Amino acid sequence: MGQKKDLTGSEKSKIVRYLAEGCSSLKIAKLLKRDHRTIKRFIQNSQQGRKKRVEKPRRKITAHELRKVKRAAGKMPLATSLAIFQSCNITGVPKSTRCAILRDMAEVRKAERRPPLNKTHKLKRQDWAKKYLKTDFSKVLWTDEMRVSLDGPDGWARGWIGKGQRAPVPLRHQQGGGGVLVWAGIIKDELVGSFRVEDGVKLNSQSYCQFLEDTFFKQWYRKKSASFKKNMIFMQDNAPSHASKYSTAWLARKGIKEEKPMTWPPCSPDLNPIENLWSIIKCEIYKEGKQYTSLNSVWEAVVAAARNVDGEQIKTLTESMDGRLLSVLAKKGGYIGR
C-alpha cells in the first residue's frame, strides 16, 4: 500500500476543533479515518512549537578596540567590515560578529549619487521653478548625455558608514574608458535619438557643436516645421561644453537664442525627466547582471532598449514637470524624489 498524503489544512483545523471539544487522539483518528500515529505526531509537533534560536557568544572586544573600530569606520567610509577590523589589527573576529558590532556605530549605505546643495543652489532652483511655473512643457526638448560601460552602471556598491556621517560622492569621469557616450532628447511623447558620440572624442565646445550639427540638427530638427521651431524650448544642463560662450553663440546662429534656450539651475539632475529615461534604459540593458564584451554590443543594446520605450512612457516623464516644480518650491529648493 502506498504512503498516505500529509494532513490537509482542513484536517488540521478539524483536529484542533476536536481537541478543544475534549476528544482523544484515537477518537479523532477514527473520525478522520486517519492513522492514529499521524494524528499523534501532528499534536506533538504543535505542542512543541518552534525551537528558539540559540545565540552564539560573540568574541569579546575590549572598550579600547571598540574605540579604534569607531575611529576607523569614520576614516574609511564605504569600507567592508573586514577592512575596518584589519586596519585596527583586530583579527579572528567572524563576519557576523564584526557586522553586529558595527551596527551599533555605523550603517550600510551606498555612495551618494548627488552632491549636497548649498544655499545658493537652493535659491537658484527656486528661482528657476518660479520662472517656468507657467511653461507649456510639451514644447520643451529635454536633452542629456549618458555613459554606458561594459561592466554595468557605477554607484551600486555598498559599504559601512558611521551613523550621522554622509556617504562620499564618488569621483566619476564623464567620458573615456570602456564605454559609450550617448546623447538623446525627449519632447512631449517623442524620443529624439539616441545618437552615439564617436569613440575617443572628448566633448569640448567645438566637438559638442559639431556633434549636434551632424546628428540632432541634420537628422531631426531641420525636418520640423517653422512654427514648431519657433515655439520649441531647448534644455541642456550646465556642462562646460554646453554652457560655454562658444556653444551659446553657435546655438544662437542656429536660431536657439533669447528665451529659447532654457536656463538651468546648478546641481539639478533630479529636475531633468530624461534622467528617468536613462534609468529605464540602464535597467533594461543591465538586467540580470548583463555585461558586454565590446562597445558595439553595448551600443546595440542601448538602441534596442530605446526602441522599446513607447510614447506613453515618455509622455509620463515630460508631463511630470509641473509636479517637479511644485516639489522644488515645497522643499525650498531641496532635492525632489525621482
Side-chain angles (χ1 to χ4, degrees):
M1 181 181 290
Q3 188 176 5
K4 288 192 175 182
K5 295 180 179 179
D6 293 334
L7 291 169
T8 64
S10 175
E11 288 175 326
K12 291 176 182 178
S13 299
K14 289 179 181 178
I15 292 171
V16 174
R17 188 172 71 250
Y18 289 145
L19 286 172
E21 294 172 357
C23 297
S24 66
S25 59
L26 182 61
K27 184 177 180 181
I28 294 172
K30 289 180 180 179
L31 290 171
L32 296 180
K33 297 179 181 181
R34 281 288 203 164
D35 190 282
H36 183 216
R37 291 169 295 182
T38 302
I39 304 299
K40 285 182 68 175
R41 193 180 305 116
F42 171 74
I43 295 172
Q44 289 171 355
N45 291 340
S46 299
Q47 290 173 344
Q48 287 175 359
R50 293 185 178 180
K51 292 183 179 179
K52 290 186 177 181
R53 180 180 175 184
V54 178
E55 292 287 344
K56 295 182 180 179
R58 292 188 194 175
R59 177 194 182 280
K60 290 186 177 180
I61 304 293
T62 66
H64 176 64
E65 288 176 326
L66 282 175
R67 288 194 295 271
K68 289 174 67 177
V69 169
K70 188 173 182 178
R71 284 197 299 269
K75 293 178 180 178
M76 303 169 61
L78 298 182
T80 63
S81 62
L82 179 60
I84 291 171
F85 274 71
Q86 284 180 340
S87 70
C88 301
N89 294 321
I90 303 174
T91 58
V93 183
K95 182 179 180 181
S96 58
T97 303
R98 296 195 305 264
C99 292
I101 291 170
L102 284 168
R103 284 191 197 102
D104 295 333
M105 61 184 73
E107 58 185 354
V108 176
R109 293 267 301 279
K110 283 185 178 182
E112 289 284 348
R113 305 287 310 260
R114 304 184 294 197
L117 296 171
N118 59 34
K119 186 177 180 179
T120 302
H121 294 154
K122 292 179 180 180
L123 288 173
K124 288 185 176 181
R125 284 163 61 90
Q126 290 180 80
D127 290 342
W128 175 85
K130 292 173 183 176
K131 178 179 179 180
Y132 290 103
L133 200 55
K134 296 182 180 180
T135 300
D136 181 359
F137 289 112
S138 67
K139 294 179 170 57
V140 178
L141 175 68
W142 306 93
T143 73
D144 193 25
E145 294 94 10
M146 168 187 69
R147 182 172 180 76
V148 288
S149 65
L150 302 181
D151 295 332
D154 300 326
W156 286 4
R158 295 173 181 264
W160 288 97
I161 293 288
K163 287 184 177 178
Q165 182 183 3
R166 288 186 62 89
V169 179
L171 295 175
R172 302 178 64 191
H173 297 89
Q174 266 196 329
Q175 299 138 39
V180 173
L181 191 63
V182 182
W183 184 96
I186 54 174
I187 182 169
K188 198 174 180 179
D189 59 356
E190 183 180 358
L191 172 63
V192 182
S194 302
F195 299 120
R196 177 178 178 178
V197 178
E198 187 178 346
D199 298 339
V201 172
K202 183 176 181 180
L203 284 186
N204 54 31
S205 301
Q206 290 79 10
S207 59
Y208 173 65
C209 293
Q210 187 60 52
F211 171 79
L212 289 181
E213 175 65 31
D214 296 338
T215 54
F216 167 68
F217 281 101
K218 284 186 177 179
Q219 299 182 38
W220 187 81
Y221 188 72
R222 67 164 49 175
K223 299 176 183 177
K224 297 297 179 180
S225 65
S227 61
F228 175 89
K229 294 176 182 178
K230 180 181 178 180
N231 295 318
M232 189 197 80
I233 299 173
F234 185 81
M235 175 272 154
Q236 57 182 358
D237 62 23
N238 296 318
S241 59
H242 301 171
S244 68
K245 291 181 179 180
Y246 180 94
S247 299
T248 302
W250 185 86
L251 286 170
R253 292 196 296 272
K254 289 289 185 179
I256 299 176
K257 55 186 176 180
E258 298 172 353
E259 294 300 313
K260 293 188 70 177
M262 176 178 279
T263 56
W264 193 247
C267 303
S268 299
D270 57 322
L271 302 181
N272 190 351
I274 200 172
E275 294 287 350
N276 300 84
L277 175 69
W278 295 147
S279 297
I280 293 170
I281 291 176
K282 284 187 174 182
C283 285
E284 177 64 25
I285 66 176
Y286 294 124
K287 65 181 179 182
E288 300 178 355
K290 175 73 173 177
Q291 292 183 315
Y292 299 88
T293 56
S294 69
L295 298 181
N296 285 336
S297 63
V298 73
W299 166 244
E300 290 168 2
V302 169
V303 173
R307 193 182 298 121
N308 290 332
V309 178
D310 59 42
E312 284 301 314
Q313 286 178 288
I314 296 172
K315 189 177 181 181
T316 299
L317 297 180
T318 56
E319 288 183 347
S320 70
M321 288 309 303
D322 291 316
R324 296 187 195 220
L325 268 66
L326 293 174
S327 296
V328 170
L329 294 174
K331 294 192 175 184
K332 297 182 179 179
Y335 280 125
I336 64 173
R338 286 193 293 161

